[in-house]
Amino acid sequence: MGINKFDVKKLLNDKKFWFASFLIGWAAALQGHMMWLQRQDSFKQKFGTTLDDQNTNESTEEL
């Protein structure tokens, strides 16, 4: 009955570990970005557009 020791050096040299870590970090960042976009949309629905957006739309309509 041998007990397997957890080898940190071997883990840090493993490319699968770094790929999985990158993938988890990317997924967390994507989820945070999507939540931020959802907050922006709900803010726009609640308060409407700002004066800057209205001025930008008016200037592009004149072209």
Side-chain angles (χ1 to χ4, degrees), residues 32-47:
H33 178 67
M34 295 303 288
M35 289 172 61
W36 181 79
L37 287 176
Q38 189 176 28
R39 283 181 41 200
Q40 297 296 316
D41 289 341
S42 65
F43 182 84
K44 286 181 182 178
Q45 287 176 357
K46 187 174 183 179
F47 297 107

Side-chain angles (χ1 to χ4, degrees), residues 43-54:
F43 182 84
K44 286 181 182 178
Q45 287 176 357
K46 187 174 183 179
F47 297 107
T49 58
T50 62
L51 292 176
D52 292 336
D53 291 340
Q54 291 173 355

Side-chain angles (χ1 to χ4, degrees), residues 1-59:
M1 284 182 24
I3 299 174
N4 293 336
K5 289 188 175 182
F6 187 70
D7 192 7
V8 177
K9 288 182 182 180
K10 188 175 181 181
L11 178 66
L12 292 177
N13 289 333
D14 192 8
K15 291 181 182 180
K16 291 179 186 177
F17 169 76
W18 291 111
F19 179 73
S21 298
F22 173 78
L23 191 62
I24 291 169
W26 177 81
L30 181 62
Q31 183 179 9
H33 178 67
M34 295 303 288
M35 289 172 61
W36 181 79
L37 287 176
Q38 189 176 28
R39 283 181 41 200
Q40 297 296 316
D41 289 341
S42 65
F43 182 84
K44 286 181 182 178
Q45 287 176 357
K46 187 174 183 179
F47 297 107
T49 58
T50 62
L51 292 176
D52 292 336
D53 291 340
Q54 291 173 355
N55 291 340
T56 304
N57 290 338
E58 289 173 1
S59 64

